[in-house]
Amino acid sequence: MSSDEFNASSVDLDAADPAQIICYLNAGENDYDGRLGARISALFVILIVSTAVTFFPVVAQRMPRLKIPLYVYLFARYFGAGVIVATAFIHLLDPAYEEIGPASCVGMTGHWADYAWCPAIVLASVMIIFLLDFGAERYVERKYDVADAPDLQEAVTGQSDVTAHERNEAAAYKKKFSAEGYADESDTESAQERSFKQQITAFLILEFGVIFHSVIIGLNLGSVGDEFSTLYPVIVFHQAFEGLGIGARMSAIPFPAGSWLPWILCLAYGLTTPIAIAIGIGLRTTYNPGSFTANVVSGVLDAMSAGILLYTGLVELLARDFLFDPKRTKDTFRLTFMVVCVLLGIAIMALLGKWA
């Protein structure tokens, strides 16, 4: 029932419908309070900052003469992985429960009250992404017979975790098979194509989830009221850290030479939140982020994005890099640094969740 039928000044808690009470308490309204100039500045600041940090890892990887220090690269890559994981839990899953969970106005109304839709959407999202990822992996295996990604770290930093002894053994192995008439596919263009097809699907899914989240953030920043002063700097950092994670992940993909796709994907992330802010500014006097409809749309998108980022962060980033990567370093100090970077990314992004 709508809050208009609910008399808040005279409530019998024993007889009242709990859904009416919750919907009344959670009812929102348009909070726009001016400061149009500051909101417009947020559009350009976030555009510049988020685009720049997203481009940085990609530029570093695609310019061979620009060999960035190893630990700068490791920081960007694994700090970004931590950011993605924290975003899934703190910035997407928790808001989704607040918007469409069982204790929310939406979750206590109509058919939304018949089932735990929020975790169901997250679960469905995770399994769909798993099936897409598995299908892409299987397609590549069937087409190319074997899957072996190039050493990204060596390409970016000029340093590899593969020892000279291991290289010599691998070279002897390749030479033996070449002499017997087998093609050395890892040194051909088809090897790069194989690796690209393996990784691009998972990345596009990741960016898809992050962009959903960025749209919601931008709409809220364009129309929010008293919280604007706090949200402005927090969202700048939020988008910068997410952009670093996106860029670091993208730098791991061996795009074909001369491809414009990485630049387009970087720009797509950089433009999403500013465009959403512009839309929020355009709707600043009418958009109500606390309305029933807004909660349904935002909650479903947050739950979907949470599933996408949960799978990507835990499986594609952490498990693949730390548990299943045959080229993972054996250097204890470097491994410790990588883990600390992940934890730092998680901690900072989780802290930002207090405000945004």
Side-chain angles (χ1 to χ4, degrees):
M1 293 182 184
S2 69
S3 58
D4 293 338
E5 302 171 6
F6 181 71
N7 184 3
S9 62
S10 178
V11 181
D12 182 351
L13 294 179
D14 292 325
D17 182 355
Q20 285 186 309
I21 298 174
I22 295 299
C23 288
Y24 176 81
L25 294 175
N26 292 343
E29 58 185 16
N30 183 268
D31 295 326
Y32 178 72
D33 62 354
R35 294 181 285 185
L36 182 60
R39 294 172 198 270
I40 294 174
S41 75
L43 189 157
F44 291 101
V45 169
I46 291 175
L47 171 63
I48 294 169
V49 172
S50 61
T51 304
V53 297
T54 308
F55 270 105
F56 169 70
V58 179
V59 171
Q61 192 273 334
R62 293 178 74 84
M63 296 181 65
R65 290 177 294 180
L66 185 64
K67 292 296 184 182
I68 64 173
L70 172 63
Y71 283 91
V72 172
Y73 163 71
L74 291 177
F75 174 81
R77 181 171 180 176
Y78 294 105
F79 179 88
V83 165
I84 297 300
V85 173
T87 298
F89 282 99
I90 306 299
H91 297 264
L92 291 171
L93 189 59
D94 183 57
Y97 268 96
E98 291 180 357
E99 291 154 347
I100 62 172
S104 69
C105 174
V106 174
M108 299 177 73
T109 304
H111 291 296
W112 287 97
D114 295 341
Y115 190 73
W117 290 107
C118 184
I121 293 170
V122 174
L123 175 62
S125 180
V126 168
M127 295 313 300
I128 289 171
I129 301 312
F130 162 71
L131 292 173
L132 289 173
D133 193 25
F134 177 71
E137 190 89 8
R138 184 63 181 144
Y139 166 78
V140 171
E141 286 178 355
R142 287 173 64 88
K143 183 172 182 179
Y144 297 101
D145 295 330
V146 66
D148 182 29
D151 190 344
L152 166 69
Q153 179 178 299
E154 182 178 15
V156 176
T157 67
Q159 301 183 50
S160 174
D161 292 322
V162 181
T163 64
H165 176 68
E166 289 171 332
R167 286 185 183 280
N168 291 336
E169 284 188 339
Y173 181 83
K174 291 178 180 178
K175 183 176 180 181
K176 174 180 180 293
F177 275 76
S178 294
E180 294 177 3
Y182 292 96
D184 186 8
E185 186 187 31
S186 63
D187 292 330
T188 67
E189 291 183 1
S190 63
Q192 286 191 333
E193 180 187 357
R194 180 187 69 224
S195 184
F196 170 73
K197 289 183 177 179
Q198 273 185 303
Q199 299 180 56
I200 190 61
T201 302
F203 175 79
L204 290 176
I205 291 168
L206 168 64
E207 180 150 355
F208 181 70
V210 170
I211 282 178
F212 266 164
H213 178 46
S214 297
V215 168
I216 296 168
I217 285 177
L219 284 172
N220 288 335
L221 189 62
S223 59
V224 75
D226 294 338
E227 297 176 341
F228 176 79
S229 298
T230 302
L231 284 179
Y232 187 171
V234 169
I235 289 178
V236 170
F237 283 106
H238 178 285
Q239 293 304 104
F241 293 147
E242 259 188 7
L244 188 61
I246 289 287
R249 174 65 179 165
M250 200 184 311
S251 70
I253 302 174
F255 289 94
S259 172
W260 284 91
L261 187 56
W263 313 115
I264 293 172
L265 292 173
C266 285
L267 194 58
Y269 172 78
L271 286 173
T272 299
T273 302
I275 290 173
I277 292 174
I279 295 172
I281 291 173
L283 302 174
R284 61 188 180 278
T285 59
T286 57
Y287 177 66
N288 178 9
S291 69
F292 187 90
T293 302
N295 277 325
V296 170
V297 173
S298 180
V300 170
L301 292 181
D302 278 345
M304 289 173 55
S305 298
I308 292 171
L309 267 64
L310 280 172
Y311 179 86
T312 303
L314 297 177
V315 177
E316 295 288 341
L317 302 183
L318 297 188
R320 184 162 292 184
D321 283 356
F322 286 95
L323 302 179
F324 305 123
D325 183 5
K327 297 176 182 176
R328 189 198 67 192
T329 181
K330 298 178 178 63
D331 186 304
T332 302
F333 177 81
R334 192 177 299 174
L335 276 173
T336 302
F337 179 80
M338 289 156 56
V339 172
V340 168
C341 287
V342 171
L343 297 178
L344 184 62
I346 290 173
I348 291 178
M349 208 61 177
L351 178 63
L352 291 179
K354 177 176 174 61
W355 301 281

